[in-house]
Amino acid sequence: MNTLPYFVLIPLAGAFLIVFLNVLTKNKVRVISEILANMITLALFIMTIFMFNKSGMYVIGKWVPPLGINLVLDGLSALMMSIVNLIAFTATLFSINYMRRYTANNYYYALFLLMLAGMNGVLLSGDFFNLFVFIEIASIASYALVGFGTEADELEASFKYMVMGGIASTFILLAIALLYSQFGVLNMAYISKAIANSEFNILLRFTLFLFIAAFSVKAAIIPFHAWLPDAHPAAPAPISAMLSGVVIKTLGLYAMIRVMYNIFGFNGGNMLAYMGLISIMVGGLLALGQMDMKRLLAYSSISQIGYIILGIGLGTKLGILAALFHLVNHSVFKSLLFMNSGSVYHRLGTRNLDEMGGLNKVMPITGGTSLIASLSISGMPPFNGFFSKLLIIIACIQSGHPIFAFWAIAGSIFTLAYYMKMQRYAFFGALKESYKSIKESPFFMSVSMIILAILCLVTSFLLIPQLRDAVLTPAVEVILNADTYKALVIK
Amino acid sequence: MTNNKSGLSEIVKSVCCWIEGFIFLFGCYIVLFGHLTPGGGFAGGVIMAASFILIMLSFGKERVDLLFPWTRSTLVESFGALLFIGVAWLGIYYGGGFFANFLHQKFGGTPFTFLSGGTIPISNVAIALKVMAGLFLVFYVLSTHKVILDEDISKTEKDK
């Protein structure tokens, strides 16, 4: 467990080191920040692989909880950390070529690593106030990254995101203050123990409501989604990949699951499942009408988050397993799709589907990987999305909700429809005369897209019993059994 | 020094010349005695930044560019952060845990004396550097930079 602080420490130190070195070299050596950021994200990803099947606690500054701060690792945080750091690595790899179009690269990498430090902190924190601080670190870094292009629409999107995110953060802080006023501790495990031993009174209900509302904003669940369709398209492509791939899941879903299931021991009846169904259908319908490629992908994220919420809301073992599996898969293929759109934008300078067409002929890697990702997200075998959606539908029927299963299938048909539309407009059809001289995207961008495309196939193997028991089952057990989390901290 | 035309009136400049050093010194005091009296790195850093902001308000941007140019403030800011992380990191190797107070473990110290805090005064200094440079940079950027959007340009042209 001695490696736990390094997950926060390394990216945090890296962020400031990049700025420091760049000022020393007068911003002339771009390569420093690129190499440093890629080394850090790769190292973190390799470290997370060894975290599976481990659990434990790290005490900071030798101050034992509930007085001091602690970091907690269990199955759920290990799963989330591996996917966060994997996507972060592919995004930094993609950034090498993509971010050449922007100035001030060093600040980009510094903010990126700061966001990564915040997310790793959220996943490891065993203390409510630190959870809030890390959420803020990741959020504020992402506000800045969304507005990184400093054009009018990017600044507007960033401002909108900041206002909505600020309200959500205030809710979280208020909820933490209410919990502290009631129990006098901030340690999550101790609060969980105290809640289990006390009456579920009106104040606690209000606190839980504040938490759910705030994390729903961060996870962009309908009706709290208004910031997402602006913010995700406005960001540079690797940041969109991070935002849609992992940020909304870490700051929104992970935190919501942790607070609801592990701290409050509340599974919400079918409330989450209904929220999920609304997100699936409304997100899907809105995505159908989009002609902006990244906006279509952003609405699709809302719809796919709905599937995850639906699976978790069922509350059965299979439902949660399927939801976590879909969470992993969605991170992979949605990041890949945003990178595809970035690759197209890099060469064509447009995100409008009307202006594209026949790009498969000139950009075979981008076209091929985006076809794989589209088929995965639409739930076509043998790609990963098929298995996770199938499991969610089976879980719906098994828990006695065939209506949920019907709507999930309907949502899946919508998904197929808008991805076929995207493929048809962008990559198939006739190539325009003016685009005939276009080249395939640069080397590092292609490499990171190929890695993710391979992962679209490889993650299907997570369902093999041995792998499943090592990766997914520990996370499911953490969610289903609140006592395992408490037992890690309170000895 | 007080001859240039930018900034506020001669009276303000003279008063500022008298008090700017004292404000900075007071900030240093708050930082160094942070482990004994109310205050600490953040509060002291804000006071130290205030002294630079005062110079900028009364003398204008040019003088502050000489005293504390933004490249130097960026350097100081990231150095402060790195120093803070470094002290925490050293705790892993010498104190047995992240953020462990290894200096206090080794040397101890009488409570309420200046050298009793172990690594806390070092962390306070690091935070102060970070906050001082960071807050000053926020003020500097907000007062000197302006984003002019294309729509605003066309609007002003139309108004003309």
Side-chain angles (χ1 to χ4, degrees):
Chain A
M1 284 305 104
N2 289 333
T3 46
L4 287 190
Y6 289 105
F7 286 103
V8 183
L9 197 59
I10 293 174
L12 200 60
F16 293 112
L17 200 61
I18 284 175
V19 177
F20 191 75
L21 290 178
N22 270 288
V23 178
L24 280 185
T25 55
K26 297 195 167 58
N27 290 330
K28 281 188 183 126
V29 195
R30 273 185 170 206
V31 191
I32 295 178
S33 38
E34 284 164 1
I35 293 176
L36 210 58
N38 274 291
M39 298 264 283
I40 287 171
T41 46
L42 179 63
L44 287 174
F45 171 59
I46 293 171
M47 276 161 68
T48 53
I49 296 175
F50 298 103
M51 290 291 132
F52 282 119
N53 253 336
K54 282 189 186 154
S55 58
M57 177 179 74
Y58 186 88
V59 175
I60 292 198
K62 291 194 151 182
W63 291 89
V64 185
L67 290 177
I69 300 166
N70 59 339
L71 301 176
V72 183
L73 179 88
D74 57 14
L76 183 60
S77 26
L79 174 73
M80 291 292 296
M81 256 192 342
S82 65
I83 196 74
V84 165
N85 290 297
L86 168 71
I87 302 298
F89 169 61
T90 51
T92 41
L93 199 63
F94 190 86
S95 306
I96 296 176
N97 290 130
Y98 187 81
M99 293 309 288
R100 296 264 162 161
R101 57 172 53 241
Y102 292 90
T103 52
N105 265 19
N106 51 337
Y107 293 118
Y108 166 79
Y109 287 108
L111 284 167
F112 189 99
L113 289 178
L114 217 51
M115 184 167 81
L116 188 61
M119 280 194 290
N120 282 340
V122 168
L123 296 174
L124 286 175
S125 176
D127 171 285
F128 259 122
F129 196 73
N130 276 284
L131 181 83
F132 171 73
V133 170
F134 283 124
I135 285 179
E136 280 299 272
I137 291 177
S139 305
I140 291 172
S142 65
Y143 306 148
L145 284 168
V146 165
F148 199 76
T150 61
E151 293 292 323
D153 53 341
E154 284 150 1
L155 291 174
E156 189 195 329
S158 170
F159 187 70
K160 197 170 175 181
Y161 181 23
M162 192 166 71
V163 170
M164 299 277 286
I167 293 170
S169 300
T170 317
F171 275 18
I172 299 172
L173 191 61
L174 182 58
I176 292 171
L178 286 174
L179 278 181
Y180 186 67
S181 73
Q182 205 161 9
F183 299 118
V185 280
L186 283 168
N187 191 286
M188 279 151 78
Y190 281 83
I191 285 185
S192 168
K193 192 180 161 195
I195 287 175
N197 292 331
S198 67
E199 187 201 352
F200 197 50
N201 58 18
I202 185 100
L203 196 62
L204 274 183
R205 279 165 210 260
F206 181 60
T207 312
L208 182 62
F209 163 76
L210 286 176
F211 272 127
I212 292 177
F215 293 135
S216 302
V217 174
K218 298 270 184 201
I221 297 164
I222 285 178
F224 303 101
H225 68 287
W227 60 271
L228 188 142
D230 287 331
H232 288 197
I239 296 305
S240 310
M242 282 294 281
L243 287 174
S244 258
V246 288
V247 173
I248 52 173
K249 298 193 183 79
T250 309
L251 305 188
L253 288 179
Y254 166 82
M256 182 143 78
I257 295 171
R258 187 63 98 199
V259 167
M260 273 180 70
Y261 284 82
N262 287 160
I263 312 299
F264 280 82
F266 171 80
N267 64 11
N270 279 330
M271 181 193 72
L272 279 186
Y274 285 113
M275 281 163 83
L277 281 180
I278 295 169
S279 284
I280 291 173
M281 293 317 290
V282 179
L285 277 173
L286 287 168
L288 264 177
Q290 303 303 321
M291 284 312 282
D292 181 329
M293 193 168 173
K294 279 178 104 175
R295 224 177 156 78
L296 185 147
L297 297 177
Y299 276 114
S300 156
S301 280
I302 297 175
S303 173
Q304 300 301 314
I305 288 289
Y307 279 99
I308 301 170
I309 289 283
L310 170 65
I312 287 169
L314 291 174
T316 59
K317 195 173 178 190
L318 185 67
I320 292 172
L321 182 106
L324 290 178
F325 187 34
H326 195 64
L327 187 150
V328 173
N329 296 345
H330 181 248
S331 302
V332 173
F333 46 62
K334 188 47 67 69
S335 307
L336 175 53
L337 282 163
F338 268 112
M339 285 178 188
N340 292 144
S341 77
S343 162
V344 170
Y345 184 72
H346 189 70
R347 287 297 188 216
L348 268 64
T350 179
R351 301 193 316 236
N352 195 339
L353 287 171
D354 268 337
E355 294 169 28
M356 301 172 193
L359 293 178
N360 268 337
K361 296 184 185 81
V362 282
M363 305 175 84
I365 295 178
T366 309
T369 50
S370 97
L371 185 66
I372 291 176
S374 301
L375 290 177
S376 304
I377 198 169
S378 319
M380 288 289 149
F383 299 106
N384 52 11
F386 167 72
F387 297 104
S388 51
K389 281 193 178 175
L390 185 69
L391 278 183
I392 289 176
I393 291 161
I394 293 174
C396 285
I397 295 171
Q398 210 179 50
S399 64
H401 296 98
I403 305 285
F404 290 179
F406 170 77
W407 284 111
I409 293 169
S412 193
I413 294 168
F414 276 137
T415 315
L416 184 65
Y418 55 74
Y419 278 106
M420 286 307 106
K421 169 187 160 180
M422 190 189 93
Q423 288 295 324
R424 167 71 188 78
Y425 272 97
F427 297 104
F428 289 89
L431 183 67
K432 283 189 183 164
E433 197 60 40
S434 51
Y435 293 150
K436 284 216 165 124
S437 57
I438 277 176
K439 290 197 203 86
E440 179 55 76
S441 52
F443 177 72
F444 288 111
M445 283 163 75
S446 305
V447 169
S448 85
M449 286 190 292
I450 291 170
I451 292 175
L452 285 173
I454 293 170
L455 280 172
C456 277
L457 267 172
V458 172
T459 41
S460 308
F461 293 111
L462 279 181
L463 281 185
I464 294 173
Q466 287 85 353
L467 267 177
R468 189 186 64 204
D469 289 344
V471 178
L472 292 173
T473 318
V476 176
E477 268 155 21
V478 168
I479 297 177
L480 279 177
N481 190 358
D483 291 334
T484 35
Y485 182 75
K486 270 181 268 181
L488 282 176
V489 181
I490 307 171
K491 294 282 183 339
Chain B
M1 179 169 68
T2 48
N3 287 341
N4 69 33
K5 295 258 170 66
S6 68
L8 298 172
S9 73
E10 201 68 25
I11 301 168
V12 178
K13 282 179 183 166
S14 309
V15 174
C16 176
C17 274
W18 276 91
I19 60 171
E20 64 186 30
F22 289 107
I23 294 178
F24 192 81
L25 200 63
F26 181 62
C28 295
Y29 164 77
I30 296 276
V31 173
L32 290 176
F33 283 81
H35 56 297
L36 300 172
T37 55
F42 191 90
V46 171
I47 296 171
M48 282 149 93
S51 69
F52 287 108
I53 292 173
L54 181 70
I55 296 171
M56 192 166 160
L57 284 175
S58 48
F59 289 94
K61 181 164 103 42
E62 292 74 19
R63 183 157 167 204
V64 111
D65 274 341
L66 284 174
L67 265 175
F68 203 45
W70 76 266
T71 43
R72 197 182 297 164
S73 11
T74 317
L75 212 59
V76 168
E77 196 206 357
S78 28
F79 175 73
L82 286 173
L83 181 64
F84 186 74
I85 297 169
V87 169
W89 203 322
L90 284 177
I92 295 179
Y93 296 105
Y94 296 107
F98 188 48
F99 265 113
N101 196 335
F102 60 93
L103 285 179
H104 189 265
Q105 286 171 8
K106 200 166 180 193
F107 299 110
T110 335
F112 307 112
T113 55
F114 182 65
L115 290 175
S116 62
T119 54
I120 296 175
I122 305 174
S123 304
N124 266 338
V125 170
I127 293 287
L129 291 176
K130 166 100 187 130
V131 171
M132 174 184 77
L135 197 69
F136 169 68
L137 274 176
V138 169
F139 182 80
Y140 184 86
V141 169
L142 282 180
S143 55
T144 56
H145 289 54
K146 197 175 182 183
V147 175
I148 300 169
L149 303 172
D150 294 341
E151 294 125 59
D152 293 344
I153 296 170
S154 53
K155 210 192 223 172
T156 43
E157 274 167 4
K158 228 183 254 173
D159 290 345
K160 275 176 193 168

